[in-house]
């Protein structure tokens, strides 16, 4: 057994787990032995132009993990609500006794012709979900991690846009850059409890978010392609599993001395741009 297999006895909370990367993370961590608590808004948000996950999607993640032999509990919860995030943490503790891992993965995307043309409510919603939502998830879960007394691992899903530029989606980039600062601060503050905090920074991932955006905003996606915002390696989109493999490493004992880092899974995107 490598240190990568060793999530037996660990409990992982995953936000935005009804589909896409969150679902893939749930299946991957369950496959490595972790018990999973998954949550998702599973409902539309007015300012988001593509369809978010549904309660059927959330149920499908739960069933897929069970069919694969994993243990999982789930609930609808909005990362913008501290009460919802506390309810998710409570579910994890009541169901499985503890929390060892948090994947703050929930997120939305949006494009405008340019950043100064972003509507006020679209800007605010982006910051509320993608930045404040990750903080609220951490705030709800960390007390149980500390109480558990065995340390922990938090992985915040940022983006290459958290480390580079994001033309036409400056609110997304601002939120993701904010996550880098949140990660640094939490890594510093939680080190005494042996709670590690890192970000993953994916390039484009073949998820329902990407598919939804290209359907509702084809003109912006065309502009994006025209500007050659492509990867250095010869791959247009990564698969969710590519990100899950990095997350699995970060939460495992193989990364027990890794904290405060940004981990681009970007096919060389940041080197190119
Ligand atoms: N797809 C990409 O190209 C890409 C690239 C880099 C980073 N990311 C980031 O990866 C993460 C996962 O995205 P994905 O690609 O799997 O997209 P996705 O849309 O398939 O999954 C995101 C999930 O978050 C949920 N969600 C949205 N708002 C929520 C809220 N307020 N509360 C709870 N859940 C909420 C959605 O319902 C959805 O199930 C996001 O943070 C995203 O910003 C995506």
């Amino acid at each position: 057994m490598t240190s990568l297999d060793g999530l037996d006895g660990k409990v992982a909370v995953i936000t935005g787990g009804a589909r896409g990367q969150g679902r893939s993370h749930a299946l991957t961590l369950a496959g490595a032995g972790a018990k999973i608590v998954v949550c998702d808004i599973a409902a539309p948000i007015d300012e988001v132009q593509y369809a978010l996950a549904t309660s059927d999607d959330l149920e499908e993640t739960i069933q897929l993990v069970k069919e694969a032999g994993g243990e999982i509990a789930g609930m609808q919860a909005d990362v913008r609500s501290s009460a919802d995030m506390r309810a998710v943490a409570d579910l994890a503790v009541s169901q499985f006794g503890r929390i060892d891992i948090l994947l703050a993965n929930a997120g939305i995307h949006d494009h405008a012709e340019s950043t100064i043309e972003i509507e006020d409510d679209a800007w605010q919603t982006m910051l509320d979900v993608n930045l404040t939502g990750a903080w609220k998830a951490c705030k709800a879960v960390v007390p149980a991690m500390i109480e558990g007394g065995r340390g922990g691992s938090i992985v915040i899903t940022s983006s290459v846009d958290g480390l580079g530029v994001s033309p036409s989606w400056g609110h997304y980039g601002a939120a993701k850059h904010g996550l880098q600062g949140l990660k640094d601060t939490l890594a510093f503050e939680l080190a005494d409890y042996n709670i590690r905090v890192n970000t993953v920074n994916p390039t484009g991932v073949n998820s329902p978010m990407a598919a939804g955006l290209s359907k509702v905003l084809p003109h912006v996606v065309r502009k994006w392609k025209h500007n050659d915002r492509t990867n250095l390696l010869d791959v247009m989109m990564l698969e969710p599993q590519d990100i899950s493999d990095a997350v699995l490493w970060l939460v495992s004992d193989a990364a027990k001395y890794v904290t405060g880092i940004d981990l681009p899974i970007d096919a060389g995107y940041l080197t190119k741009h």
Side-chain angles (χ1 to χ4, degrees):
M1 187 178 91
T2 74
S3 315
L4 276 180
D5 300 321
L7 299 186
D8 283 339
K10 301 235 165 122
V11 178
V13 170
I14 304 174
T15 69
R19 67 183 196 188
Q21 295 176 60
R23 174 183 289 173
S24 173
H25 298 344
L27 282 159
T28 301
L29 268 56
K35 295 175 176 135
I36 307 294
V37 174
V38 74
C39 70
D40 201 289
I41 190 170
I45 294 177
D46 282 351
E47 292 77 23
V48 180
Q49 302 180 56
Y50 60 94
L52 295 180
T54 63
S55 51
D56 284 351
D57 292 324
L58 183 57
E59 190 50 38
E60 195 177 330
T61 295
I62 292 169
Q63 287 313 319
L64 285 169
V65 169
K66 284 184 178 166
E67 283 163 22
E71 284 187 68
I72 184 167
M75 64 178 283
Q76 270 185 267
D78 186 338
V79 294
R80 295 172 295 177
S81 158
S82 293
D84 280 14
M85 288 301 99
R86 276 196 302 272
V88 172
D90 289 348
L91 175 66
V93 173
S94 66
Q95 199 83 9
F96 299 128
R98 52 181 304 107
I99 302 176
D100 303 279
I101 294 164
L102 168 66
L103 307 183
N105 161 82
I108 56 172
H109 209 318
D110 177 37
H111 294 181
E113 281 299 326
S114 74
T115 294
I116 55 166
E117 290 171 77
I118 293 169
E119 299 290 344
D120 289 7
D121 53 358
W123 175 278
Q124 193 56 54
T125 299
M126 182 64 73
L127 272 287
D128 288 347
V129 175
N130 283 14
L131 177 56
T132 310
W135 170 69
K136 287 186 174 174
C138 294
K139 188 179 173 186
V141 158
V142 163
M145 271 186 188
I146 292 174
E147 180 74 14
R150 297 199 316 218
S153 175
I154 297 174
V155 179
I156 299 174
T157 300
S158 179
S159 165
V160 288
D161 292 331
L163 301 170
V165 297
S166 18
S168 297
W169 53 95
H171 50 353
Y172 185 83
K176 295 296 189 184
H177 272 80
L179 291 177
Q180 303 306 134
L182 176 67
K183 173 265 297 175
D184 287 338
T185 306
L186 290 179
F188 189 89
E189 291 180 355
L190 298 175
D192 284 350
Y193 302 102
N194 197 28
I195 295 173
R196 302 180 294 105
V197 189
N198 298 289
T199 61
V200 285
N201 299 74
T203 185
V205 180
N206 184 16
S207 73
M209 171 188 280
L213 275 172
S214 58
K215 227 181 274 168
V216 294
L217 299 166
H219 58 293
V220 186
V221 173
R222 262 201 307 280
K223 186 163 104 183
W224 181 70
K225 285 183 181 153
H226 179 68
N227 287 345
D228 192 30
R229 286 176 57 83
T230 52
N231 300 318
L232 187 58
L233 298 178
D234 186 18
V235 57
M236 189 64 201
M237 290 280 215
L238 306 191
E239 293 301 321
Q241 188 64 51
D242 297 320
I243 317 307
S244 299
D245 291 343
V247 167
L248 176 60
W249 175 71
L250 274 177
V251 302
S252 74
D253 278 353
K256 61 180 176 292
Y257 297 126
V258 177
T259 194
I261 70 157
D262 326 313
L263 180 54
I265 304 105
D266 72 339
Y269 175 93
L270 289 164
T271 303
K272 182 172 176 182
H273 295 279

